Amino acid sequence: MAGPDGRLRCPWGVQPDDYRAYHDTEWGREVRGDDELFERLCLEAFQSGLSWLTILRRREGFRSAFARFRIEKVAAYTEEDAVRLLADPGIIRNRMKIDATLHNARVLAEWKKGELTELIWSHAPAAQGRPAPRGHDDIPATTAESTALAKDLKKRGVRFVGPTTAYALMQACGLVNDHLADCAYR
């Protein structure tokens, strides 16, 4: 679909402005770095069952509440911090998702620097042989790679990540390119 500037975009990335900015500048672009990937993993988990627009509009609230997703800092959060987070209107106040975020930070804090980045990117599928999607129906919700990534993360103690969340992470962080074939940002 053409956006207000006339450029073709994936239909979801045309309106509102929040979606367009995210589509044009972030979605599908390579993300590396443990803290950066931790942020995306957490946001994808918080999005589960909700609109991505809800998450985008609260992103700064999440960043503030979770120490800009610095793994070491979030790993040090206490039960008192969890109670504080449950009262924070700037985030999604879901106890299971908050607990999973704190648990995951503690797990990841034990990993070697770069290990999360290496693990996630080891599940990137080969770009060759994967045709550009022409429409929404050409984009899967899960893949063999996202299923393997979710299993690998769970095996290592990471919670609240299934194959669908893992695939959304792969899309958002550039492991796969699901911009439609006619999208100017493909």
Side-chain angles (χ1 to χ4, degrees):
M1 293 181 71
D5 58 2
R7 295 191 82 181
L8 292 178
R9 290 177 174 81
C10 302
W12 68 266
V14 174
Q15 288 292 336
D17 292 343
D18 307 73
Y19 270 159
R20 188 170 51 254
Y22 177 69
H23 172 273
D24 293 0
T25 64
E26 285 188 72
W27 192 74
R29 295 185 187 226
E30 187 174 304
V31 175
R32 291 185 186 259
D34 292 350
D35 291 334
E36 293 79 2
L37 288 165
F38 176 60
E39 175 183 359
R40 299 315 197 311
L41 184 63
C42 293
L43 294 177
E44 294 294 348
F46 272 101
Q47 184 273 330
S48 181
L50 302 171
S51 159
W52 183 244
L53 188 59
T54 300
I55 302 304
L56 282 178
R57 289 184 171 163
R58 294 183 185 201
R59 192 173 190 183
E60 285 308 314
F62 277 108
R63 286 176 170 166
S64 177
F66 289 101
R68 307 215 62 80
F69 292 97
R70 297 302 172 246
I71 294 169
E72 294 291 332
K73 289 185 177 191
V74 178
Y77 278 21
T78 64
E79 178 58 29
E80 186 176 290
D81 291 304
V83 171
R84 173 185 54 81
L85 292 166
L86 283 167
D88 187 338
I91 67 169
I92 305 302
R93 295 173 286 182
N94 177 298
R95 183 67 192 223
M96 286 176 47
K97 293 176 182 181
I98 289 169
D99 286 349
T101 300
L102 303 185
H103 168 84
N104 292 344
R106 291 179 191 116
V107 167
L108 296 172
E110 299 296 319
W111 292 17
K112 293 180 296 194
K113 183 176 171 46
E115 191 172 352
L116 178 61
T117 301
E118 185 179 316
L119 173 72
I120 289 173
W121 278 91
S122 73
H123 291 280
Q128 297 82 5
R130 191 167 189 261
R134 307 239 17 110
H136 179 71
D137 291 343
D138 295 335
I139 300 173
T142 65
T143 62
E145 294 88 359
S146 74
T147 300
L149 173 57
K151 279 184 181 179
D152 210 354
L153 287 166
K154 284 181 184 180
K155 182 175 73 177
R156 295 169 188 243
V158 176
R159 293 184 189 161
F160 224 93
V161 59
T164 303
T165 298
Y167 193 69
L169 175 75
M170 294 170 86
Q171 291 174 304
C173 297
L175 280 77
V176 296
N177 184 354
D178 277 343
H179 283 284
L180 298 183
D182 294 333
C183 177
Y185 295 87
R186 180 163 176 81

